[in-house]
Amino acid sequence: MTYVVTQACCADASCMSVCPVNCIHPAPGEPDFGHTEMVYVDPRSCIDCGACADACPVSAIKPLELLSGDEQVFGDINAAFYDDREAGVDWSQPSFPIVEEPRERPLRIAVVGTGPAASYTARELLTTSSAHVSMIDRLPVAGGLVRSGVAPDHPDTKRLADMFTWTYDHPRTRMYLNVDVGGDVSHADVLAHHDAVVYAVGARLDRALGVPGEHLPGVHGSPEVVGWYNSHTDVDASAIDVSTDRVVVVGNGNVALDVARILLGDVEALGRTDIADHALDALRSAPVREVVVLGRRGPEHAAFTRPELLMMPRGIDVAIEADGQVADELAAAAPGSKAASMAGLPLVDVDWSAPPPPGRRLVLAFHRTVDEVVGAERVEGVRLGRVGTDRTVDVRTGLVVRSTGHRGSPVAGMPFDEATATIPHTSGRVVDPATGLPVPGTYVVGWIKRGASGGIGANRTDAQETVATLLADARAHLLPTPPRPPSPRGFARLLRSRGLDVVGRRRMKRIDADERRRGEQAGRPRVKFATVDEMLEGRR
C-alpha cells in the first residue's frame, strides 16, 4: 500500500531526503520543482516504508488506507501526476549541501527575521558549517509567517514551528528579538559585529488595485486581514469591520480562499484554533453569508491550488458565477486539470443587488475586473467589469479585500528594485545595481530575494542557495573584516547602549509558555497576545 501526500504539503523536500527508492517528485533540480501545487508519491514505486511520513514536518504524508473521506481524493491526485511520467534511475536525486570543516574562528552570521526563510537559512548554516547565528526580529516573538500568516484552521502547517524551534534553541544560535534593523540599529551596526548579514524580511505590503474609491474605509489588503485574525501586533484589534453580509475578495490565490474560509467558517470550530480573540468575538456576531472571490482569468488559471479548494470545509457551499465563457471552459477542461476539479460545481445566476441567500456560500467569479470601489463615507459596493466586454455590474458589499499579491519594502541602506519589489542579488549575494558590485557581507533570502512567490517549503532550497553563496565567499576571503572579532557580548552591549528592551531566548520562551497556558485554560492550542506591551509585561 502506498503513502500519499495530502493538502498540507509544504514542499520543502524533507521527505525526498529519506526516501530509499526516490519515488517523490518533483525534486530539487527538476524543472517542475517549486511550480507544482505540491509534491507527489509515485504509487508504482512506493515500498510503503513510511520514512517520508516520519520526515514530513507538517504531517502531510499518510498511508492511502488511512485517508479520511475528504482526503481520499489525494490518492488519485498523487497517482495522476505519474500518468505520463516514467519513474526510474533517470529521475534526479535531491542535492544536499556538503558539511564544511570547522574554522579556526567560526563565522558569526546575522539573520534578520525569524520566519520560514530566516529559519531555513539559520538551520542550513548550523548544519553545514561551524557558524554562530544571531537571529534578529523587530517583534518580541519568533515565527514570522508561520505565526502570523498561516490560517488558524491549518494546524498541520503550523507544525513547521516545531522544526524551527530546533533552530532557535541551538547552542550556536542567539536570539535578539524586539530589535528593528533599520530603526533601532543600522545595517552598518549589525555588520560591525558580524561577518555577514542575511536579510529574510519577507514582503509585508500588498499590491494596490489602482482604481477609484480604493481609499475608502472598508478596503483592506489581505496582509492586514490575515494579520487581524492571526493577532499580528501591527494590526489593531478593531481594524477590520465584518458587519456586512457579503465580502468581495479581489484575487483568487490560496490566501483569498483562506480569507473566505475564515470569514465563512464555523465559529465553534474556529474557537478551537489559535485565532485572535478579537477576531473570534467579531465573527460570532458577523452577518457574513457570502464571500465573492474574483479572478481576471478563467478557471484553469485560478491562482489557488486544487488541494486548497478541495478541502473547503463542509457547510460552505461553493458555486461559480454563471457565464457562458466559463461554462464552455469547464466543459472543455482536460481530465485532471484545475478547471476539471471545478467542473462539478454549480453555476449560479447571482443578483448582486440583493442580499445573499441563507446559508454560507463562496462564489468564484472568473473573467472579472474591479473598475471602481463605490461609496460615500465607506465602502458600499464595487463596480465589476467583464474582461473583453464593456459590461459592468454593481455588487453590494461592505468589505473589500485585496488579495492580489505581496510586495517587499525597501530596507534601510540596501539597494531596492521598485519594479520587482526585491533587493537586487546574484544567487543571494546583494548587488548594487549602480556599480554592478556586491554589497560586502550582505545577502538575501525568501520573498525579499525572489519576489512573493512560492510556498513555505520553497524557502528551503532558496536558503541552500544563499548559504552556499555566503560560504563560498567566506572561503574566497570576500567577506569584510569587522573592526574587531565579532562576539555576542559586543553586539549585546551595542543594543543595551541604545536603551533597547531586547527579548532573548528565555523571555521568548516565557511568552510562548504563557500563550500556551492561556490556550490550555480555554481548550485551544494557544491564546496569543495581541500587542507588544502584552507580550513584554511581567516577562523581563
Side-chain angles (χ1 to χ4, degrees):
M1 186 64 68
T2 185
Y3 276 72
V4 172
V5 181
T6 63
Q7 182 263 340
C9 176
C10 70
D12 82 343
S14 295
C15 52
M16 302 170 195
S17 65
V18 298
C19 178
V21 292
N22 196 25
C23 74
I24 307 174
H25 299 277
E30 295 173 354
D32 288 345
F33 182 75
H35 301 287
T36 56
E37 297 175 328
M38 49 192 280
V39 300
Y40 309 86
V41 174
D42 182 359
R44 300 166 300 180
S45 306
C46 178
I47 60 173
D48 196 25
C49 69
C52 57
D54 293 337
C56 178
V58 294
S59 302
I61 305 180
K62 304 174 183 179
L64 178 63
E65 69 271 21
L66 295 184
L67 295 182
S68 66
D70 290 340
E71 292 176 325
Q72 289 178 358
V73 66
F74 289 101
D76 295 333
I77 289 174
N78 277 246
F81 181 77
Y82 295 93
D83 283 347
D84 58 352
R85 291 170 170 82
E86 290 293 331
V89 295
D90 292 336
W91 287 84
S92 65
Q93 289 281 357
S95 59
F96 297 96
I98 299 171
V99 178
E100 292 206 332
E101 291 289 333
R103 298 172 177 271
E104 181 178 345
R105 179 183 70 76
L107 295 172
R108 186 164 295 278
I109 310 298
V111 178
V112 181
T114 57
S119 297
Y120 277 121
T121 299
R123 185 182 180 90
E124 189 74 8
L125 285 164
L126 294 168
T127 56
T128 63
S129 76
S130 58
H132 290 243
V133 177
S134 300
M135 299 195 76
I136 309 171
D137 200 297
R138 67 188 182 91
L139 297 180
V141 288
L145 184 66
V146 173
R147 176 183 171 91
S148 60
V150 175
D153 61 345
H154 278 358
D156 287 342
T157 306
K158 287 179 178 286
R159 289 177 185 167
L160 276 168
D162 296 334
M163 181 177 71
F164 296 152
T165 296
W166 177 92
T167 304
Y168 309 147
D169 288 345
H170 196 281
R172 284 188 278 123
T173 301
R174 299 273 181 146
M175 305 297 292
Y176 300 94
L177 308 182
N178 205 33
V179 176
D180 181 18
V181 177
D184 297 325
V185 292
S186 68
H187 169 73
D189 290 331
V190 178
L191 191 58
H193 293 271
H194 296 85
D195 294 289
V197 183
V198 183
Y199 286 93
V201 294
R204 296 195 295 267
L205 304 180
D206 66 288
R207 297 180 183 274
L209 300 175
V211 300
E214 189 176 6
H215 64 282
L216 287 169
V219 179
H220 301 274
S222 57
E224 186 178 13
V225 177
V226 172
W228 173 74
Y229 63 63
N230 270 326
S231 281
H232 197 295
T233 59
D234 286 351
V235 183
D236 189 84
S238 61
I240 310 300
D241 182 356
V242 291
S243 58
T244 179
D245 55 11
R246 176 183 288 130
V247 178
V248 173
V249 181
V250 186
N252 59 11
N254 281 351
V255 174
L257 293 193
D258 283 347
V259 170
R261 202 177 57 251
I262 296 303
L263 294 179
L264 293 170
D266 179 348
V267 176
E268 295 307 312
L270 288 173
R272 296 188 289 272
T273 73
D274 67 354
I275 189 171
D277 279 352
H278 55 255
L280 188 62
D281 290 342
L283 291 172
R284 287 191 192 281
S285 58
V288 178
R289 297 198 306 276
E290 181 175 271
V291 176
V292 184
V293 173
L294 307 175
R296 288 184 60 89
R297 299 197 289 175
E300 185 56 31
H301 300 286
F304 56 74
T305 60
R306 287 180 299 164
E308 202 69 26
L309 181 65
L310 289 168
M311 296 306 289
M312 189 63 61
R314 295 177 183 179
I316 300 177
D317 297 326
V318 183
I320 297 175
E321 181 195 15
D323 173 71
Q325 181 180 356
V326 172
D328 292 342
E329 290 170 345
L330 293 175
S337 67
K338 186 177 294 185
S341 68
M342 292 179 257
L345 297 177
L347 295 173
V348 297
D349 289 309
V350 184
D351 182 357
W352 297 117
S353 63
R360 292 174 290 153
R361 182 169 74 168
L362 166 64
V363 178
L364 303 174
F366 296 102
H367 302 296
R368 284 294 193 183
T369 61
V370 176
D371 293 347
E372 184 179 356
V373 178
V374 180
E377 299 299 322
R378 60 170 293 112
V379 173
E380 298 172 14
V382 291
R383 182 159 296 140
L384 301 184
R386 174 75 65 186
V387 174
T389 75
D390 57 2
R391 289 179 291 154
T392 63
V393 62
D394 287 350
V395 177
R396 189 180 60 81
T397 181
L399 175 59
V400 176
V401 181
R402 292 183 301 255
S403 187
T404 51
H406 289 65
R407 280 181 57 85
S409 53
V411 175
M414 293 293 103
F416 189 72
D417 185 335
E418 287 288 351
T420 62
T422 59
I423 293 177
H425 70 96
T426 301
S427 299
R429 181 191 301 110
V430 175
V431 174
D432 184 347
T435 64
L437 298 175
V439 177
T442 310
Y443 302 82
V444 283
V445 70
W447 281 2
I448 196 62
K449 169 187 175 184
R450 66 180 189 273
S453 63
I456 290 175
N459 291 299
R460 186 184 184 197
T461 50
D462 192 18
Q464 288 175 348
E465 178 187 62
T466 293
V467 170
T469 300
L470 188 160
L471 295 179
D473 287 352
R475 289 192 296 271
H477 305 290
L478 297 177
L479 299 182
T481 302
R484 62 187 62 83
S487 75
R489 290 182 179 179
F491 189 54
R493 281 196 299 269
L494 170 69
L495 299 180
R496 285 197 301 271
S497 72
R498 302 286 170 87
L500 302 178
D501 186 9
V502 180
V503 173
R505 182 157 45 207
R506 290 181 181 178
R507 286 179 71 190
M508 177 189 78
K509 286 184 171 295
R510 283 200 292 273
I511 295 170
D512 177 71
D514 285 349
E515 288 187 338
R516 291 179 185 273
R517 190 177 303 112
R518 283 154 47 103
E520 186 176 355
Q521 294 168 354
R524 301 166 61 186
R526 71 171 65 232
V527 173
K528 296 176 182 174
F529 297 112
T531 68
V532 170
D533 287 344
E534 288 178 337
M535 291 176 183
L536 299 180
E537 185 178 355
R539 296 174 188 88
R540 287 177 168 79

